[in-house]
Amino acid sequence: MSEIPTDLQYSPNHTWLEDNSEGYKRVGITDFAQEELGDIVFVELPEVGRSYAEGEECGLVESVKSASDIFCPISGEIIAVNDAIVDDPEKINQDPYGDGWLFHIKPDDTVDNSEIVNADEYEELIQEDE
């Protein structure tokens, strides 16, 4: 069974969000997503300084099995990316909630979090997918 930390929020597109005290959210793909993808061999991250709308394609993850778009879980501006995973994409498989994070996003003031769910709701969502 996939690890689903209870202190994070989740999107239906299998990304997680972590709040912090500086007003941005750290984003990555879930343990479930990295398990489904298999060994990740390439990552394309969003552009720092660019704003993305909720649900907009903002990156790409390729594995030995397939490629999967990364969709922005909320609207906002990308303020940092994890360059370490570009050179070492396996970090996503090894530690999806730690060193394998993807980017930091500063949410728009008008963010609608209606699609964002808690750990219990996400667990129900992935059970439907299995």
Side-chain angles (χ1 to χ4, degrees):
M1 172 138 251
S2 300
E3 179 185 358
I4 306 172
T6 58
D7 61 330
L8 301 176
Q9 297 173 303
Y10 300 88
S11 79
N13 293 317
H14 306 290
T15 53
W16 55 264
L17 299 96
E18 178 183 50
D19 285 324
N20 76 20
S21 59
E22 296 177 36
Y24 66 83
K25 294 181 185 280
R26 189 168 68 131
V27 177
I29 66 169
T30 65
D31 190 36
F32 174 80
Q34 71 81 22
E35 285 174 356
E36 291 289 302
L37 284 166
D39 294 334
I40 296 172
V41 295
F42 175 78
V43 180
E44 183 180 299
L45 296 170
E47 184 181 332
V48 173
R50 179 164 172 217
S51 291
Y52 291 87
E54 178 182 343
E56 183 179 356
E57 183 183 317
C58 67
L60 179 73
V61 178
E62 288 184 11
S63 71
V64 293
K65 293 197 303 191
S66 67
S68 182
D69 292 325
I70 300 167
F71 297 97
C72 207
I74 58 172
S75 297
E77 180 186 350
I78 305 300
I79 59 170
V81 295
N82 185 359
D83 288 324
I85 62 170
V86 173
D87 296 329
D88 192 6
E90 311 85 48
K91 285 181 189 274
I92 298 171
N93 294 117
Q94 296 161 355
D95 191 10
Y97 300 113
D99 290 340
W101 65 274
L102 302 175
F103 57 88
H104 293 169
I105 187 168
K106 182 179 179 201
D108 286 348
D109 293 337
T110 60
V111 167
D112 172 19
N113 286 337
S114 61
E115 295 290 313
I116 304 301
V117 298
N118 66 29
D120 291 337
E121 293 166 319
Y122 182 69
E123 186 172 6
E124 289 175 23
L125 183 95
I126 62 175
Q127 285 175 352
E128 293 170 9
D129 286 352
E130 291 179 326

